[in-house]
């Protein structure tokens, strides 16, 4: 299981890649969203806020209402943020579940794909 | 890495208060489910159905089809409850059968979406050209313009808002029902053989009528791909049930009105709904039904393009389709599938326009949808055995009887629909389905192993970026 520190470290790396990626920032134009992350094995919850085409820092508390809720194991979150996991594979096998509008799900997946296109 | 089949992650909690800022309510679920089923092709299917029964008794075939659609509703409700995700079709098929078979069936199912989009483009384009008094070449231009507009909107990420979709769908239903009732009342003639569908007809004709009747309800289940967006998960199966009731009522009305009011020539045209509108309200009715026909395209183009393109994108991201199909434009739209869908739909609709073979399209759609309903029933049965402990918020009662009956009935209906056009034996629909199935099979057996090998090679070549965990101090 990945603890909060590992997930925060992974997210910080992912956040830096996303915020420095011009193409990704264009994709996030007009897409201000609150995303909840729920780790099924540890019970940890995090919030990611996307505003003005930028990802904010990961916070431990969960705002009352989200636009998108992502549920996965803590290991999957860590691997996803490091770019070692294709979230679509896990989603299509039911290991990652989502709640939210389809277009929001698409943008989130776009972030995970485009941020690591040079890999 | 865990061994064995992965356990499904639990669905996100949905407490009493809305968890999501933007969530779909029951009203939008109903309008989405109904709107996806009530495409412009609905009018042609209704007109086609009329030819198989006596007098004004088509409502019996529609009502029978509605009861059968309840079987499909039960199966999709159970499957949706088990896998409340847009990827459900891949999930429940993969867990019910060999993945190659599942993928072949899924790709063939996608063909239905292309057919419906193509058919709608053809019908709307032809109807508009007819109302404007224009010829077939102009209709072809209108078809191309409509599809171009749909592709362009999708590429720009333009999505019809839920509220607009609700208004469009309910207006279509109400207007259609009002036109049908008015046309019937204004005929000043009693109904002919309203309770005798077999008068002068063979029982096989009624079977064909029921098969076409099932097609009138088909695509109601596509709303299950919105399972992640709803305020309450049970709204999906409740919304589908309400949608079936609405569809049954409106389709009973239009089939009876068409059989009672329209001539044989009008029934065989590409726009019988315009003739029905004229019978009800004269020239104003003609324009009203032209507008209604155009409004049906809102749901078809919006829902059909989005559903199909996102599914192709997700399947490509999973590694089961070429990676090129997962390319995104700057609006996070999978532009390759959207363009491909638009082009294929254009070709199909122009071929239909040139050959006048829209009834073949209806028969293919009816057969494919019946097949999918049979497959869904099979998945329900298999998963009761393979995943007996999986949470099932909705359980189909007496599954061996009901799902077993669904498999048998829908398989027979699919077979019947695939070899009949205009109440005559015609193997062309079967040939079209067989070609589609062969192409899907060829892709899965020949191309897919290479696609997956390429994806695996790319994955293997990447070095993990995640730093290794520091070794724990073993202590003294």
């Amino acid at each position: 299981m990945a603890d909060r520190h590992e997930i925060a470290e992974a997210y910080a790396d992912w956040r830096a890649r996303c915020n420095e990626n011009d193409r990704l920032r264009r994709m996030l134009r007009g897409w201000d969203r609150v995303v909840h992350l729920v780790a099924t094995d540890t019970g940890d919850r995090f919030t990611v806020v996307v505003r003005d085409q930028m990802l904010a820092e990961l916070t431990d508390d969960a705002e009352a209402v989200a636009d998108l809720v992502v549920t996965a194991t803590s290991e999957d979150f860590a691997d996803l943020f490091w770019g070692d996991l294709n979230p679509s594979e896990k989603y299509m096998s039911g290991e990652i579940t989502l709640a939210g509008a389809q277009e929001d799900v698409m943008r989130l997946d776009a972030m995970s794909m485009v941020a690591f296109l040079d890999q | 890495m865990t061994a064995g089949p992965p356990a499904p992650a639990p669905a996100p909690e949905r407490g009493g208060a809305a968890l999501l800022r933007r969530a779909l309510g029951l009203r939008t679920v109903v309008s989405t489910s109904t709107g996806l089923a009530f495409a412009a092709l609905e009018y042609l299917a209704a007109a086609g159905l009329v030819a198989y029964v006596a007098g004004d008794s088509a409502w019996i075939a529609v009502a029978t089809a509605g009861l059968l659609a309840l079987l499909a509703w039960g199966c999709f409700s159970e499957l949706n409850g088990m896998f409340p995700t847009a990827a459900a079709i891949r999930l429940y098929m993969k867990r019910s059968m060999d993945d190659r078979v599942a993928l072949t069936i899924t790709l063939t199912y996608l063909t239905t979406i292309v057919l419906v989009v193509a058919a709608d483009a053809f019908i709307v384009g032809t109807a508009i050209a007819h109302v404007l008094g224009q010829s077939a070449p102009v209709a072809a231009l209108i078809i191309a313009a409509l599809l171009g507009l749909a592709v362009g909107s999708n590429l720009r990420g333009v999505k019809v808002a839920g509220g607009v979709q609700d208004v469009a769908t309910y207006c279509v239903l109400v207007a259609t029902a009002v036109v049908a009732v008015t046309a019937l009342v204004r005929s000043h003639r009693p109904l002919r053989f309203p309770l005798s569908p077999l008068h002068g007809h063979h029982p096989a004709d009624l079977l064909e009528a029921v098969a076409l009747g099932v097609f009138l309800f088909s695509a109601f289940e596509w709303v299950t791909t919105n399972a992640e967006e709803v305020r309450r998960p049970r709204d999906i199966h409740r919304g589908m049930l309400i949608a079936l009731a609405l569809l049954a009522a409106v389709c009973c009305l239009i089939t009876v009105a068409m059989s009672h009011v329209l001539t044989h020539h009008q029934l065989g045209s590409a726009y019988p709904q315009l003739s029905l509108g004229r019978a009800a309200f004269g020239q104003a009715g003609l324009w009203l039904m032209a507008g209604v026909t155009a409004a049906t395209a809102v749901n078809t183009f919006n829902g059909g393009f989005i559903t199909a393109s996102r599914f192709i994108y997700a399947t490509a991201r999973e590694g089961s389709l070429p990676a090129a199909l997962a390319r995104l434009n700057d609006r996070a739209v999978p532009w390759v599938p959207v363009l491909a869908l638009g082009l294929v739909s254009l070709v199909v609709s122009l071929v239909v326009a040139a050959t006048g073979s829209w009834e073949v399209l209806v028969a293919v759609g009816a057969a494919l949808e019946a097949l999918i309903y049979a497959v869904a029933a099979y998945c329900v049965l298999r998963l009761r055995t393979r995943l007996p402990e999986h949470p099932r918020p909705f359980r189909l009662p007496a599954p061996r009887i009901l799902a077993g009956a669904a498999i048998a009935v829908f398989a027979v209906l699919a077979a019947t629909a695939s070899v009949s056009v205009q109440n005559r034996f015609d193997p062309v629909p079967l040939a079209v389905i067989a070609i589609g199935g062969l192409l899907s099979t060829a892709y899965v057996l020949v191309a897919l192993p290479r696609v997956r090998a390429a994806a695996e090679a790319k994955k293997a070549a990447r070095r993990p970026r995640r730093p290794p965990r520091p070794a724990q101090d073993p202590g003294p």
Side-chain angles (χ1 to χ4, degrees), chain B residues 389-405:
Chain B
E389 301 304 323
H390 194 106
R392 288 176 170 80
F394 181 96
R395 296 184 77 92
L396 179 72
R400 285 192 184 176
I401 297 172
L402 291 183

Side-chain angles (χ1 to χ4, degrees), chain B residues 128-175:
Chain B
I128 292 174
H130 174 74
V131 165
L132 295 175
Q134 298 296 322
S135 59
V138 173
L141 284 175
I142 296 174
I143 290 168
L146 282 170
L147 283 171
L149 186 63
V151 168
S153 305
N154 269 269
L155 288 177
R156 291 184 64 80
V158 173
K159 187 177 179 285
V160 175
V164 172
Q165 184 179 277
D166 289 353
V167 169
T169 301
Y170 292 125
C171 284
V172 163
L173 292 176
V174 169

